[in-house]
Amino acid sequence: MTRPVLNNTAARRVFLDRHALHETPQGPAHGDALKSLITRLGFVQLDSINTVARAHDLILFSRRPRYRPGALDRLYIRDRALFEHWTHDAAVIPMQFYPQWHLRRTRDAERLKKAWSKDRRAGFEGQYQSVLDHIRKNGPCSSSDVGTDEKKGSGGWWDWHPSKTALEYLWRSGALAVTGRSGFQKRYDLTERVIDEALADPAHAPDIEQTIDWCCNQALDRLGFASHSELAAFWGHIRPAEAQAWVRRALAQGTIIPVDIQNADGSLRGAYVRPDLSDDPAIKSPPSARLRILSPFDPALRDRKRAEQLFGFHYRIEVFVPEAKRTYGYYVFPILQGDRLVGRIDMKAFRGEDTLKIRALWPEPGTRWGKGRKKALEAELARILPLAGVSRINFAPDWLRDPV
């Protein structure tokens, strides 16, 4: 039997809608409205690089331009409506999802103990109790508050001192929770002081099958369509084989159906969708034409392979590439307009000079940067200025480059 095909235009629209990039970017961006947006996305990745704004701030701003970083801090630190843990990387996650991370914390406890015993400096297991005692007595602490008599390494993740490693292990495995950040440095506290007992009690946590079912259902609802491996990767704490088994059960129950997704180049790839996806309102309406600049860590782009298949957009962040070998730049931002990724821009906020400097913009092949698109770019850059903490824009003389 021939499988139904979701054409590329429809697939883009569904995908952008699930990532809150289909509608016009507008509306309130604090309190319950901001929490609802984060819940819709599932999580927001945290990152420290601040060339224009930190990743989590730009992710939220690109969907709600009235957003300011203090709104996230209030939700996370003051209201404790979010908790911090890992998906594919460190992220803030709606607090009601905390029980679903029991499996991740349990698996991390076993996996990290083995891995870190090999590639971190020895002795961190012996610091568990002293770290817990220090926090119990003195309150929340950062890594600089413990292990003050221990030899410090290079400061990289590969050379943490034993007490820093103990803090991270106790957080990842559940004894500690991150209660906020100071200068992007995590502050840890006892879990019972941060997380409501009803959410943190392991006796009330879902079992493995319930967690797998939750992860796959929630991932599919946030992606619109996905392979079993994409379902497993979304939250990051179930295995591909577990997602594959869930797919078999869901197919038998009729809660999902197989389809072919048309890629940007016309090729097809298999995926699973809800049976009623063809009636999705997003398919019948074009996305907002507003040009917007996305974070390299935007949830719509974090799966680079899927972004390339769906949008024909090849993107690799070049932070760790030597400057002479970079194709574009240190930290280049993708540009979305409508349902197309139309270019990438190399820019940086020089706060001492009160200026956002635009070094270069590379259009995607086949994309024309005429007066209309330039005007749309200038409008978006003007909106970004308050987030970047500057008030002026400066374009380099040769800023508009040829497509690569």
Side-chain angles (χ1 to χ4, degrees):
M1 182 178 177
T2 303
R3 293 195 295 192
V5 174
L6 190 66
N7 69 50
N8 186 248
T9 297
R12 292 188 194 200
R13 290 179 177 184
V14 168
F15 189 75
L16 291 173
D17 175 69
R18 297 303 190 272
H19 289 84
L21 292 169
H22 187 274
E23 66 262 34
T24 300
Q26 61 186 9
H30 63 276
D32 288 343
L34 184 62
K35 184 185 175 185
S36 293
L37 174 61
I38 296 170
T39 302
R40 178 177 173 184
L41 297 174
F43 59 88
V44 174
Q45 181 177 339
L46 300 171
D47 192 77
S48 62
I49 296 175
N50 194 14
T51 56
V52 173
R54 289 199 164 109
H56 42 283
D57 293 325
L58 187 54
I59 288 168
L60 297 169
F61 173 86
S62 64
R63 292 154 172 84
R64 302 288 187 273
R66 289 159 60 181
Y67 167 82
R68 295 296 180 267
L72 183 62
D73 289 342
R74 287 189 290 275
L75 268 186
Y76 178 23
I77 300 170
R78 185 193 69 184
D79 301 341
R80 292 185 177 171
L82 308 168
F83 73 98
E84 183 174 338
H85 212 273
W86 274 66
T87 54
H88 63 292
D89 210 321
V92 285
I93 305 155
M95 184 63 78
Q96 66 266 31
F97 295 169
Y98 189 85
Q100 306 297 340
W101 260 250
H102 176 71
L103 178 62
R104 177 64 178 261
R105 293 187 293 270
T106 301
R107 287 180 169 175
D108 276 358
E110 179 180 353
R111 181 179 62 84
L112 297 178
K113 183 175 287 188
K114 292 178 181 177
W116 289 0
S117 294
K118 296 177 182 178
D119 60 24
R120 308 289 168 102
R121 277 190 286 164
F124 73 90
E125 298 100 327
Q127 300 303 316
Y128 295 162
Q129 194 58 52
S130 64
V131 164
L132 290 170
D133 290 345
H134 176 89
I135 295 174
R136 189 170 284 109
K137 178 181 178 181
N138 299 290
C141 77
S142 66
S143 59
S144 60
D145 298 321
V146 296
T148 55
D149 58 343
E150 297 169 4
K151 181 180 178 181
K152 304 299 188 290
S154 64
W157 61 265
W158 60 91
D159 201 12
W160 292 340
H161 61 75
S163 291
K164 160 66 172 174
T165 307
L167 277 173
E168 284 286 302
Y169 179 84
L170 291 168
W171 166 52
R172 295 281 293 273
S173 58
L176 298 178
V178 174
T179 189
R181 289 176 179 249
S182 301
F184 216 72
Q185 187 178 48
K186 291 193 288 289
R187 293 189 62 77
Y188 307 82
D189 201 354
L190 301 176
T191 296
E192 59 262 30
R193 293 176 180 169
V194 180
I195 310 296
D196 185 90
E197 182 180 1
L199 295 174
D201 187 353
H204 298 155
D207 62 25
I208 292 178
E209 289 303 316
Q210 290 170 326
T211 302
I212 293 168
D213 186 63
W214 183 90
C215 285
C216 291
N217 274 307
Q218 295 286 325
L220 185 57
D221 289 343
R222 286 171 175 81
L223 293 171
F225 49 86
S227 66
H228 77 271
S229 58
E230 289 170 336
L231 294 175
F234 185 85
W235 303 105
H237 54 271
I238 67 170
R239 296 161 182 157
E242 292 169 334
Q244 193 169 34
W246 178 86
V247 164
R248 289 195 294 268
R249 292 192 297 271
L251 286 170
Q253 294 162 1
T255 57
I256 64 172
I257 60 172
V259 299
D260 283 325
I261 305 297
Q262 184 184 44
N263 294 323
D265 64 2
S267 63
L268 301 177
R269 63 186 176 95
Y272 303 97
V273 302
R274 299 297 186 193
D276 60 352
L277 183 68
S278 60
D279 298 323
D280 194 294
I283 293 176
K284 299 174 177 64
S285 62
S288 167
R290 169 84 71 85
L291 183 147
R292 52 186 129 184
I293 294 169
L294 303 182
S295 164
F297 299 109
D298 194 279
L301 299 173
R302 73 175 180 89
D303 186 330
R304 309 296 193 207
K305 180 180 178 182
R306 183 171 54 215
E308 188 165 0
Q309 290 172 328
L310 191 58
F311 297 98
F313 186 76
H314 178 81
Y315 183 83
R316 299 294 183 271
I317 195 165
E318 296 181 301
V319 168
F320 301 110
V321 177
E323 185 172 2
K325 295 184 178 180
R326 290 175 188 152
T327 303
Y328 298 104
Y330 171 79
Y331 195 83
V332 173
F333 300 83
I335 303 172
L336 175 73
Q337 190 173 35
D339 67 356
R340 299 175 61 202
L341 287 155
V342 295
R344 60 198 84 199
I345 186 169
D346 184 3
M347 60 182 184
K348 183 176 181 179
F350 289 81
R351 296 176 180 91
E353 301 175 34
D354 193 29
T355 303
L356 178 64
K357 294 186 178 182
I358 313 303
R359 174 178 170 268
L361 185 150
W362 294 268
E364 283 296 282
T367 301
R368 182 175 177 271
W369 279 78
K371 290 182 180 179
R373 190 161 276 144
K374 288 177 183 177
K375 186 176 180 180
L377 173 67
E378 290 169 359
E380 177 69 355
L381 292 173
R383 285 187 287 267
I384 284 175
L385 288 177
L387 187 72
V390 296
S391 65
R392 296 195 299 264
I393 302 169
N394 175 265
F395 287 87
D398 61 343
W399 69 274
L400 187 56
R401 307 289 180 85
D402 293 327
V404 175

